[in-house]
Amino acid sequence: MEKDVRVTGPTLKALGQLLTAPDTGISGAEISKATKVASGTLYPIMFRLERARWVSSEWEDVDPSEAGRPRKRLYKITALGRVKSKSAITDLVPSNGRLIWES
């Protein structure tokens, strides 16, 4: 079931990062590092995006003992998420490149 998503600055940053890796997926830690969005902010955003079906996620297919680290949760943007995020970016980031509420 599609739900409305509150699109904030950190949400736009996460969506922008997801759009750069639509097929391979990207971990929350990689999104956090690239966007400078703290994990305490990022993971609730990812949960909301997944619940709204803008994003899907799955555990990385590695053996943690062989990899020497825990498995990563990989996030991928869905077709719906691509459409909705591009629309949100168009609506909230006009041609001057600043968020509409910062103008």
Side-chain angles (χ1 to χ4, degrees), residues 92-103:
L92 298 174
V93 185
S95 60
N96 68 4
R98 296 179 56 114
L99 293 171
I100 201 155
W101 55 83
E102 293 177 347
S103 298

Side-chain angles (χ1 to χ4, degrees), residues 2 7-9 17 29-30 37 58 61-62 64 66 73 75 96:
E2 180 185 335
V7 180
T8 61
Q17 199 61 35
E30 292 167 317
V37 174
E58 61 186 20
D61 187 22
V62 300
E66 288 180 15
R73 187 98 182 144
Y75 295 91
N96 68 4

Side-chain angles (χ1 to χ4, degrees), residues 6-65:
R6 183 180 64 211
V7 180
T8 61
T11 304
L12 285 174
K13 289 179 180 182
L15 289 169
Q17 199 61 35
L18 287 163
L19 287 168
T20 67
D23 299 322
T24 58
I26 186 168
S27 73
E30 292 167 317
I31 296 170
S32 181
K33 184 177 178 182
T35 62
K36 307 287 191 259
V37 174
S39 61
T41 300
L42 179 67
Y43 288 105
I45 289 170
M46 300 310 292
F47 176 78
R48 285 193 300 271
L49 292 173
E50 192 165 9
R51 193 175 64 207
R53 303 210 173 152
W54 289 28
V55 168
S56 65
S57 69
E58 61 186 20
W59 287 106
E60 177 183 42
D61 187 22
V62 300
D63 180 351
S65 60

Side-chain angles (χ1 to χ4, degrees), residues 67-95:
R69 60 170 173 75
R71 294 185 305 162
K72 298 176 184 177
R73 187 98 182 144
L74 299 176
Y75 295 91
K76 294 180 186 178
I77 195 155
T78 63
L80 173 66
R82 272 191 289 280
V83 170
K84 295 285 193 171
S85 62
K86 287 178 182 178
S87 175
I89 290 167
T90 300
D91 291 347
L92 298 174
V93 185
S95 60

